[in-house]
Amino acid sequence: MTDRTPLRRVLLKLSGEAFSDPEVKGGIDPRIVSQVAREIGELQASDGTEIGVVVGGGNIFRGNSPAAAGMDRSSADHMGMLATVINALALQDALEKEGVETRVQTAVAMQELAEPYIRRRAVRHLEKGRVVIFAAGLGVPYFTTDTTAAQRALEIGADAILKGTQVDGVYDRDPKQDAGAIRYEVIDFLAVLNQGLKVMDATAISLCMDNQLPIVVFELLREGNIGRVVKGESVGTLVRAAPVTDA
Ligand code: UDP
């Protein structure tokens, strides 16, 4: 995707913050989860878009947060991965209430709760119209769910990563701190890395850059936004490889 085009299969990245009230910060707000589930359900019902979702866990626990101070980092990251499973189950419940068929696949074996992550099976679920929720990140410490999103998107052959956030795209400065901040319509991976823009962590951006996997950063809770991005409308910011120019 060098520019906006309709998307057939997408990987939606939902950070932990997507599960909580922005005013409250932390925990799970069932109204917010229901809203996200409704949007996903409507999108799937309207045009059969294949949707994989990677869920974060930052609303509950992060391995590098102050709450983990003094802990062994790997143990703390295990706790963070478990937090993503809690969010995955909340989203699954909300999606099923919307009548959407789902499967949770986890990178850490938890057979009573969810399927193990198996790439071919995940793709088959998508083809059958099920939303696949990927939980427990990559199953290894020192990684993030942003990197998981890049990894899973590549594995399932997604057209793009849809990164839903609380702001409506990528800005040159923090728009919450500086009213003069300017939003990018399109930006390339290298500029994101060089300018240290907060899109996803550097490992995730590098993986997308190396494999030319576009990312659309958009405001998650604006009604109909996920659908607009999938239709190829100019919503949020498109992060992609720099176009090749003739020398
Ligand atoms: N995590 C991990 N390995 C992974 C993915 C996640 O160890 O492959 C842990 C890590 O501690 C991280 C936490 O899970 O802080 C929650 O994920 P993340 O911070 O990416 O959630 P988000 O910021 O998207 O809410």
Side-chain angles (χ1 to χ4, degrees):
M1 188 167 81
T2 53
D3 224 323
R4 305 296 182 131
T5 50
L7 306 170
R8 179 191 53 88
R9 179 178 290 170
V10 296
L11 191 295
L12 178 64
K13 165 67 207 294
L14 298 178
S15 295
E17 68 184 23
F19 290 81
S20 53
D21 182 332
E23 302 301 319
V24 177
K25 289 193 173 71
I28 295 177
D29 184 329
R31 291 165 305 176
I32 307 274
V33 186
S34 299
Q35 186 183 337
V36 174
R38 206 163 36 247
E39 294 252 336
I40 294 174
E42 281 168 8
L43 174 65
Q44 212 216 21
S46 66
D47 63 4
T49 310
E50 295 179 13
I51 307 165
V53 187
V54 166
V55 289
N59 56 323
I60 300 170
F61 196 84
R62 278 201 184 94
N64 61 358
S65 67
M71 280 189 75
D72 171 72
R73 175 64 191 266
S74 296
S75 300
D77 279 341
H78 286 149
M79 291 170 69
M81 285 185 254
L82 292 179
T84 74
V85 180
I86 293 175
N87 286 333
L89 296 180
L91 181 64
Q92 178 175 47
D93 182 80
L95 279 168
E96 294 197 333
K97 290 211 165 66
E98 295 293 323
V100 181
E101 252 203 276
T102 63
R103 291 291 186 274
V104 174
Q105 289 202 343
T106 160
V108 173
M110 246 178 267
Q111 63 188 19
E112 285 78 6
L113 302 184
E115 291 182 3
Y117 171 65
I118 299 173
R119 185 184 72 86
R120 286 177 193 281
R121 191 182 280 185
V123 169
R124 193 78 193 103
H125 288 319
L126 293 172
E127 288 168 352
K128 287 185 173 170
R130 296 172 184 143
V131 171
V132 182
I133 305 166
F134 299 105
L138 291 171
V140 283
Y142 294 96
F143 282 90
T144 64
T145 53
D146 278 351
T147 303
T148 308
Q151 171 77 20
R152 295 288 183 253
L154 290 167
E155 287 185 89
I156 65 170
D159 299 325
I161 296 178
L162 273 48
K163 164 113 177 156
T165 65
Q166 287 174 1
V167 285
D168 61 348
V170 182
Y171 284 76
D172 60 348
R173 283 156 285 167
D174 185 347
K176 285 185 182 150
Q177 310 265 324
D178 190 337
I182 295 166
R183 180 172 64 86
Y184 295 101
E185 179 83 15
V186 182
I187 187 166
D188 59 76
F189 295 117
L190 218 47
V192 166
L193 288 176
N194 288 340
Q195 294 176 42
L197 298 173
K198 288 193 176 63
V199 176
M200 301 208 291
D201 60 78
T203 312
I205 295 289
S206 302
L207 199 51
C208 291
M209 182 166 73
D210 288 350
N211 294 283
Q212 305 201 0
L213 175 68
I215 308 162
V216 181
V217 182
F218 69 102
E219 188 180 355
L220 179 69
L221 293 181
R222 184 174 294 262
E223 224 177 299
N225 244 6
I226 305 178
R228 285 185 203 102
V229 175
V230 165
K231 286 194 189 86
E233 290 178 25
S234 185
V235 174
T237 299
L238 169 65
V239 186
R240 50 110 164 101
V244 181
T245 50
D246 294 332

